[in-house]
Amino acid sequence: MEEHNLRYCKYYKGEDSNPFEGTDQNKAMLWFYEQYWIKTYKTANFEEYLNEYSLVGLSQFEAQDSIPITLKSLIFNRYAKTYFTMLDAVEPFKKFYKKYYTGIIEV
């Protein structure tokens, strides 16, 4: 496990089972994606995710926070799968990300 990268995870802390399962679907999903990011960090190719993230104009989104762009782009890719297009997902993703990673809730 890439323990030094755990500091970037808000939901996954190295547990074997998801503590959010059955209590909060969004946090459970984010825990799963963070776990995947940690476990595949050295072997996964995040280029596809990064390209998508950049193409929809998100490369500078929340750039000042401490979350690595590889993790953000992975979360965006998974989040956007529920939308008709990647572009359709951009604004809802920004609200979702802010709510779950910065604590800012927009209406």
Side-chain angles (χ1 to χ4, degrees), residues 36-47 49 70 74:
Y36 174 81
W37 180 74
I38 289 289
K39 291 186 177 217
T40 63
Y41 186 77
K42 285 193 174 186
T43 58
N45 181 356
F46 293 101
E47 187 174 340
Y49 303 142
T70 52
L74 168 66

Side-chain angles (χ1 to χ4, degrees), residues 8-12 26-27 29-35 61-62 65-68 71-72 75 93-104:
Y8 301 117
C9 295
K10 184 166 182 174
Y11 301 98
Y12 177 67
N26 288 329
K27 289 179 181 179
M29 175 189 66
L30 292 167
W31 181 94
F32 178 76
Y33 298 149
E34 288 179 353
Q35 178 195 45
F61 173 66
E62 296 295 321
D65 72 9
S66 64
I67 308 298
L71 178 54
K72 284 183 202 173
I75 294 169
F93 171 76
K94 287 179 179 181
K95 290 177 183 178
F96 175 84
Y97 180 87
K98 286 179 182 181
K99 178 179 179 180
Y100 286 95
Y101 280 89
T102 67
I104 298 171

Side-chain angles (χ1 to χ4, degrees), residues 11-13 15-24 27-28 31:
Y11 301 98
Y12 177 67
K13 302 299 179 199
E15 309 95 334
D16 290 329
S17 62
N18 191 329
F20 303 103
E21 196 68 45
T23 61
D24 188 316
K27 289 179 181 179
W31 181 94

